[in-house]
Amino acid sequence: MSDQSTPQSPFVRLCDRFGIPPALFWGFVGLLIFMIGDGVELGYLSPYLSSRGMDESRIATVFTLYGVTVGISSWLAGALSNLWGPKRVMLLGLIIWSLFEALFLIYGLKTLSYSMILLTYGLRGFGYPLFAYGFLVWIAAATPSRKMGLAVGWFWVAYAAGLPTLGSLVASFAIPLIGALNTFWLSFALVVLGGIVGLVGLREAHGMRRLAPEGERPLVSMAKNVTIMWHRPKVTLAGVVRIINTSSMFGFLVVLPGFFMHTVGFTLEQWLRLLTIVFVFNIIGNITSSVVSTRLGYRNTILWLGAIGSTVSTPLFFFMPQMFPHNFLLASLFGAFYGLTLACFVPLSALAPALAPQNKAAALSVLSLGAGASTWVGPAVVAIFSERFGLAGVVWAFTGLYALSAVLMLFLKDPEPVHEPLYLWQRLTKTQRRVKVRAPRLDTRWAHAARND
């Protein structure tokens, strides 16, 4: 893949128009393909294990253990990027994912060995966060703060487009054609392809070296990723909100396949397509909330559209399809609303580094820890509440968590005004004349800053 970073090239102008850092373009492409592969199994692993005779409590345990390792690895992604550089961390993630996925398929799923499924699937959980969040740290290191909002928005677009949006869509077509077990191998091939595309195409200098200051000892560098949680308590609050953000998604992936197939009356393929619709709108919300946040502010977008929005959308996504069973259109409408509100937490990835500008990697480690922790908190909420209160109790528990996240966001604020909104709006809507009339000075400052990058 050739270097396409010539300042005046059409490629650079196109990337600049959409807010994508040109030097990181192939990283976004590689991440998209990688996460498509990782997301292929997400919507049907639970029903697949159930159809093979594994009970729901064991399935929840598998997902919870996987979530624990994902959470640990998500924190390590930032810490290790400080020490080794993001590119080495991404390579390590690809190797771990590929090795333990092969063992999971051969010795776990094929024989349905519960102990091997726990071991190999759990250890595989260390893989994708190192690749994905290593790249997120790379974005933070290489992107000027005034451009960070949209850059991390595109990160989450690529991430969510794969996991589980296009991944679920691929599964819905692949399972009838090649069978469930071969579809797992298809996901393996996609992950390897995406990893190679990203690692070969990424050549930007910041990610090729350690981010910690030269001479800083490894233990000191690692410690910063822990001590920031009490030195910068607002970063910790952002991490807690990030846990809540996608906890319902990972919890619902354990129990909603059975709910929509057995209670609402959908087929497996309909469920997978519903999941695709949810996350298509999540992708739309990712980039839209990034643009909106530059006008409303990061905190207000997260608070009103993300936290309060999800407090409303979560119960509607569960209760409304029950009232109108077999109605795929109605379920899709409320699923789309749910996906949109989840996406409005995306500005956290711009807010957290801004809360600790001298140690962005450590701040992102806390945020990544929250993202990883949500993968086990969600199934854990299911395990705790489903037995005593049923599935409705699980839904109300997640609704309460979103209400709590709204309260937590009241304690955070944008550290400084955002200086890019009208420029971005101009780029995305092509209303150049109207923007220049309303805010010529702001547009000029941005253009001057862009020339100096």
Side-chain angles (χ1 to χ4, degrees):
M1 297 171 190
S2 60
D3 184 357
Q4 293 170 297
S5 57
T6 305
Q8 300 302 320
S9 72
F11 171 80
V12 170
R13 289 197 298 271
L14 181 64
C15 287
D16 183 62
R17 176 175 294 277
F18 289 101
I20 299 172
L24 301 178
F25 175 81
W26 287 111
F28 289 101
V29 175
L31 176 68
L32 172 63
I33 300 171
F34 186 105
M35 298 313 295
I36 289 173
D38 192 67
V40 163
E41 71 182 35
L42 199 58
Y44 83 96
L45 178 57
S46 175
Y48 177 80
L49 293 174
S50 180
S51 70
R52 295 281 302 273
M54 188 176 291
D55 63 67
E56 193 171 280
S57 63
R58 283 192 162 194
I59 294 172
T61 301
V62 169
F63 279 88
T64 301
L65 178 61
Y66 174 78
V68 169
T69 58
V70 166
I72 296 170
S73 180
S74 298
W75 174 78
L76 286 173
L80 294 178
S81 293
N82 254 346
L83 292 174
W84 301 339
K87 189 164 190 174
R88 289 183 181 178
V89 173
M90 292 172 68
L91 175 61
L92 178 62
L94 175 61
I95 292 170
I96 289 174
W97 198 100
S98 304
L99 173 62
F100 288 106
E101 175 71 357
L103 295 175
F104 169 64
L105 295 179
I106 296 169
Y107 298 106
L109 279 192
K110 194 171 183 180
T111 61
L112 205 68
S113 167
Y114 180 61
S115 58
M116 287 302 296
I117 288 174
L118 276 177
L119 176 65
T120 56
Y121 194 67
L123 290 175
R124 202 203 79 182
F126 285 104
Y128 96 76
L130 293 177
F131 186 89
Y133 299 132
F135 180 52
L136 180 59
V137 172
W138 198 335
I139 292 171
T143 307
S145 59
R146 64 187 175 277
K147 299 181 180 180
M148 184 73 72
L150 203 55
V152 298
W154 282 114
F155 170 86
W156 290 111
V157 166
Y159 182 102
L163 180 71
T165 313
L166 294 177
S168 297
L169 187 63
V170 168
S172 71
F173 288 105
I175 291 171
L177 292 174
I178 62 176
L181 194 58
N182 286 332
T183 300
F184 286 112
W185 284 108
L186 174 62
S187 77
F188 179 91
L190 287 170
V191 165
V192 172
L193 175 62
I196 291 172
V197 168
L199 290 168
V200 172
L202 277 170
R203 298 174 185 176
E204 197 277 333
H206 288 83
M208 313 288 277
R209 58 177 185 265
R210 60 179 275 156
L211 302 178
E214 289 299 327
E216 183 174 273
R217 289 176 296 176
L219 289 179
V220 173
S221 181
M222 294 286 283
K224 284 183 178 179
N225 291 272
V226 177
T227 58
I228 192 174
M229 287 191 273
W230 54 83
H231 290 156
R232 299 273 187 168
K234 290 186 177 181
V235 172
T236 304
L237 282 183
V240 173
V241 173
R242 183 63 185 85
I243 293 174
I244 295 171
N245 174 201
T246 48
S247 61
S248 69
M249 181 186 84
F250 289 103
F252 284 167
L253 287 170
V254 178
V255 292
L256 285 194
F259 165 74
F260 275 100
M261 287 188 285
H262 303 141
T263 303
V264 180
F266 291 169
T267 64
L268 175 60
E269 287 73 22
Q270 283 179 310
W271 154 247
L272 291 172
R273 285 165 191 166
L274 173 62
L275 195 62
T276 301
I277 290 169
V278 169
F279 288 97
V280 163
F281 280 88
N282 184 259
I283 293 168
I284 294 170
N286 284 337
I287 198 63
T288 303
S289 66
S290 298
V291 174
V292 169
S293 69
T294 62
R295 299 179 71 90
L296 297 182
Y298 298 142
R299 189 197 74 159
N300 286 336
T301 302
I302 300 163
L303 170 61
W304 294 104
L305 303 182
I308 294 176
S310 295
T311 304
V312 175
S313 69
T314 300
L316 288 176
F317 183 40
F318 175 75
F319 289 107
M320 292 305 292
Q322 288 186 75
M323 297 176 64
F324 301 92
H326 304 284
N327 191 326
F328 186 82
L329 176 60
L330 185 102
S332 299
L333 289 173
F334 287 102
F337 180 37
Y338 171 72
L340 282 170
T341 58
L342 287 189
C344 291
F345 287 87
V346 157
L348 277 169
S349 295
L351 178 60
L355 294 171
Q358 303 306 315
N359 203 347
K360 293 181 180 180
L364 282 172
S365 285
V366 175
L367 206 65
S368 298
L369 175 62
S374 71
T375 64
W376 67 263
V377 168
V381 169
V382 170
I384 293 168
F385 284 87
S386 62
E387 190 169 337
R388 291 192 61 188
F389 303 104
L391 190 50
V394 171
V395 173
W396 286 120
F398 285 125
T399 302
L401 286 174
Y402 285 121
L404 173 62
S405 73
V407 174
L408 295 179
M409 285 306 304
L410 294 175
F411 296 95
L412 301 180
K413 64 179 182 178
D414 296 338
E416 60 183 24
V418 181
H419 295 300
E420 58 182 325
L422 295 179
Y423 172 81
L424 293 177
W425 197 253
Q426 171 189 337
R427 290 288 191 177
L428 293 174
T429 63
K430 298 182 180 179
T431 56
Q432 183 173 357
R433 179 176 300 176
R434 177 169 58 87
V435 171
K436 284 186 174 180
V437 168
R438 291 177 62 184
R441 292 184 181 178
L442 184 58
D443 194 57
T444 302
R445 282 201 305 274
W446 174 272
H448 178 69
R451 287 195 297 271
N452 291 336
D453 273 349

